[in-house]
Amino acid sequence: MEIYHIILAVCTGIYLILCAWWDLKDRMIYTFPCMMLTGLWVGYCIMVGEVEPKVLLAYIVLFSVFYITFALTKAWGGGDSDLLLLFGAVYLAQMKGGFSLLDISSQCISIAIILVIAALVGFVEAKLKGEKLEKDSAIAIAPGYAVVISFFMIGGFM
């Protein structure tokens, strides 16, 4: 299983680098590879069997509700919501056993870090373009996801 984890992490890393670039360049995220990787990470969780089945099911339902909510309210772009699913699947693959308050806290902090990184990237991008960053400005969130998801993938090898 370890080689499958490594191959999956490398493919995900390559996608995240490209995704961050696409989001910065064109504000566009190709979602098909993201959904494929999400499915592969969930499949990996099922094959490894370190997460209790009821926790796995609850986790999938919870993140699906988040995804549907964000899609219906258009709070985020579609690609951003897809990256949230990928984030959840990678985090799930790093969990061992049950789902604790520590896991919930870690994910909330991680999402906050994603948003802070996105805001910093947006600020730098606005300065480089000579624009003013407004509260409704479109910013690239994929670089934040790339950093945090990579951190979890690397942490999975330790």
Side-chain angles (χ1 to χ4, degrees):
M1 284 299 147
E2 190 68 29
I3 190 69
Y4 182 73
H5 189 224
I6 292 170
I7 291 169
L8 194 51
V10 168
C11 290
T12 303
I14 291 168
Y15 170 75
L16 289 170
I17 290 168
L18 291 172
C19 190
W21 173 255
W22 295 325
D23 201 12
L24 284 168
K25 186 176 175 218
D26 299 323
R27 292 295 182 267
M28 178 184 209
I29 297 173
Y30 294 99
T31 59
F32 179 73
C34 187
M35 297 308 279
M36 292 283 293
L37 288 168
T38 300
L40 290 171
W41 278 105
V42 170
Y44 173 79
C45 293
I46 292 169
M47 287 185 339
V48 170
E50 291 183 0
V51 179
E52 298 172 17
K54 63 183 176 187
V55 171
L56 181 65
L57 181 61
Y59 201 84
I60 291 169
V61 168
L62 178 68
F63 269 84
S64 296
V65 167
F66 287 152
Y67 180 82
I68 291 167
T69 302
F70 287 141
L72 291 177
T73 62
K74 300 196 186 319
W76 286 359
D80 299 336
S81 298
D82 292 340
L83 286 171
L84 178 67
L85 285 180
L86 181 59
F87 163 77
V90 171
Y91 189 87
L92 184 63
Q94 310 314 319
M95 284 178 27
K96 307 288 188 242
F99 194 59
S100 67
L101 188 56
L102 177 63
D103 291 315
I104 295 168
S105 301
S106 295
Q107 289 183 7
C108 290
I109 291 168
S110 297
I111 290 174
I113 291 170
I114 289 166
L115 295 174
V116 166
I117 291 170
L120 291 172
V121 168
F123 179 76
V124 169
E125 188 178 21
K127 287 292 182 192
L128 291 174
K129 291 180 177 179
E131 299 172 353
K132 187 174 180 185
L133 189 63
E134 302 288 333
K135 68 178 181 176
D136 60 344
S137 296
I139 61 171
I141 199 166
Y145 273 115
V147 170
V148 172
I149 293 172
S150 296
F151 174 78
F152 284 127
M153 288 188 307
I154 291 168
F157 293 115
M158 296 180 179

